[in-house]
Amino acid sequence: ATLTAGLFNPSFGIDYQCNNSFTRKLVSAPLVVQMTHQNWIDIGAEAKLSGPRANLAAFVVNGFEPSDEVMEDVINLTTGLGDSVDVTPANAFGGRLGLIPFQGLEVGGSFAAGYNKSDQDEMLLYGADFTFVRAQFEVRGEYIMHSINRTILQQDNSGYYIQPTVTLGRFYATCRYDSFLAEGHSAVRQVSVG
């Protein structure tokens, strides 16, 4: 069991495990991560439990997106009744459950919800992920559904990636296939190699 307090990456999905350049096999983050929770780093607390067949993480943080991504015209919106709604991200909570049916395979599910300073829910994230490791071969993948519900913006987005890697001594070869679909737009696909 571990308890973390301060500035950290909330345990949503699996990409948070390799957000630093020296642990990331490809320089860029997966497209769906960039377009949904953007390598989420926030201040709060997180508790983790780990065992041989499962792990569980739960977190509470003080926001759900970088403040520079919050547009000026959505802060302190005035409704038709003259009531002010402050849509600045305030709090978020969530977690991840990972199951290990056999050595080398982990499958997980993640959830997060974000609230604004007027205590209205604005953001929902759902995710499913897997990691399979056998000798020098690893493949990981993740699917994320992202929903934003604001007065001037309501959008449902989703995407996934899959990334196999082969390691031979000090060398590795990897590639990643990304797909992201923002509501009302065509899907964006990307292939990265390293």
Side-chain angles (χ1 to χ4, degrees):
T2 61
L3 179 63
T4 302
L7 184 66
F8 65 96
N9 297 94
S11 297
F12 183 90
I14 54 175
D15 185 69
Y16 82 94
Q17 300 169 349
C18 58
N19 67 321
N20 297 313
S21 60
F22 56 86
T23 55
R24 190 181 288 286
K25 297 295 185 186
L26 292 168
V27 174
S28 62
L31 193 57
V32 67
V33 173
Q34 293 177 38
M35 302 301 287
T36 58
H37 55 290
Q38 306 170 15
N39 298 324
W40 195 0
I41 298 175
D42 238 312
I43 295 174
E46 179 176 71
K48 289 184 180 181
L49 295 172
S50 295
R53 294 285 180 212
N55 52 69
L56 176 67
F59 61 84
V60 177
V61 293
N62 73 342
F64 55 87
E65 65 183 356
S67 59
D68 61 341
E69 294 295 323
V70 182
M71 300 174 294
E72 284 187 27
D73 56 355
V74 301
I75 296 178
N76 295 320
L77 283 174
T78 302
T79 66
L81 299 175
D83 296 328
S84 180
V85 178
D86 189 343
V87 297
T88 305
N91 299 298
F93 67 91
R96 179 182 180 274
L97 172 64
L99 301 175
I100 306 166
F102 57 85
Q103 187 176 3
L105 175 65
E106 181 175 343
V107 293
S110 301
F111 168 79
Y115 291 80
N116 63 30
K117 288 190 176 177
S118 293
D119 292 326
Q120 296 176 351
D121 59 323
E122 286 195 353
M123 185 276 298
L124 288 174
L125 277 172
Y126 299 95
D129 59 75
F130 76 93
T131 303
F132 176 74
V133 179
R134 181 62 51 96
Q136 293 87 13
F137 178 74
E138 174 188 285
V139 61
R140 58 173 42 214
E142 193 166 1
Y143 175 79
I144 297 173
M145 292 177 55
H146 175 240
S147 178
I148 287 286
N149 181 20
R150 286 192 169 133
T151 306
I152 67 165
L153 175 65
Q154 295 183 5
Q155 190 174 48
D156 294 319
N157 309 310
S158 63
Y160 66 91
Y161 68 90
I162 186 164
Q163 181 175 336
T165 303
V166 176
T167 303
L168 298 170
R170 296 182 179 184
F171 300 93
Y172 68 86
T174 188
C175 64
R176 183 175 63 226
Y177 177 80
D178 287 294
S179 178
F180 180 75
L181 178 62
E183 185 177 347
H185 300 277
S186 299
V188 176
R189 294 177 178 86
Q190 177 176 282
V191 176
S192 306
V193 296

